[in-house]
Amino acid sequence: MIIVMRAEATKEQLDDVVQGIKDLGYQAHVIFGSNCNVIGTVGDERHKHKLQSLEAFEGVEKVVPILKPFKLAGRELKKESSQVKINDKLSVGGKQLVIMSGPCSVESEEQIVATAKVVAKLGAHVLRGGAFKPRTSPYSFQGLEEQGLKFLKTASEETGLPFITEIMNPRDIDVICKYADILQIGARNMQNFSLLKEIGACKKPVFLKRGMSSTINEFLMSAEYIMAHGNERVILCERGIRTFEDATRFTLDLNAIPVVKRFSHLPIFVDPSHGTGHWYYVNALARAGIAVGADGLMVEVHLDPAKAASDGAQSLSEKNFAALMSDIKPFIQAAGRTL
Ligand code: PEP
Ligand code: MN
């Protein structure tokens, strides 16, 4: 339910309503608006009619149901687009288009430091690199784990770029939170509900990638899990879905960007690297992602793609990443954004 407060309602009246919501066993999420304040309630759907009684509280204008199943992630409750602050200098979801790039996997200290320097020089805002890797084969490189996190931290300190890395297992939350600035939940774990719930309790920004076989509705419900468990700093990422098409690794679902923007206030990125699986298409899909309204791009970069431990075929070399950073400029401007 959404409790809409009267424009002239006092702080005490708002606090009373929040207490009334809690007394009924629901969570209250206050959204402070320029016109009036609203309170979103979340909790047991079966007894939500009880919340109708809050209409009797002083200062309440009306009580209306939230129709979509994603209550906190949806725009019904929060009309303005959200910004997720990464650090004092960087925010996602505002006018600035944010570029996250780096290798698929961290392979060595030299590799991640050198790559971080290159992507920083070319204008990336966030360094990416996997230390815990979800691989289709158990015989493939699985990542350097904590050692990889330490190398990422060194690279981050040397360049000033915050870094993002993937978390696959709730048991790794503490160690990853110790080092990382942003936690990535990969496509294969989008519906790992135990992980989503535990991540909710942690206060770092979360970058949630869409599952390759998930609908947009399911994607937003996964964001809802994280938010309902206490972490509202969620950034979404479209990274391609499985279709009958086999000319590319996945089919980048660009429809998802305007659809998500319509129904959710959360920022959304495009990942043209996993979305296509081939470096040759990454530049075009990066431009397309910006054109359809993405808030940022996640792009895999490797200084020697032929020798990459994972995803070499879709990784951009320094030269190709430099070309991308230059080619996206007119699209950024046309989208009314800055770099
Ligand atoms: C990755 O970012 O390297 C990755 C494994 O992505 P996804 O979960 O989208 O496959
Ligand atoms: Mn990858």
Side-chain angles (χ1 to χ4, degrees), residues 103-105 128 133 209 249 271 274 300 310-311 314:
C104 180
S105 311
R128 64 146 285 146
K133 292 303 303 176
K209 298 186 89 173
R249 186 178 177 194
D271 172 353
H274 293 86
E300 286 187 340
S310 57
D311 287 352
Q314 67 194 35

Side-chain angles (χ1 to χ4, degrees), residues 294-316:
D295 294 294
L297 302 175
M298 173 172 264
V299 179
E300 286 187 340
V301 172
H302 198 285
L303 301 185
D304 189 357
K307 298 218 176 80
S310 57
D311 287 352
Q314 67 194 35
S315 298
L316 297 187

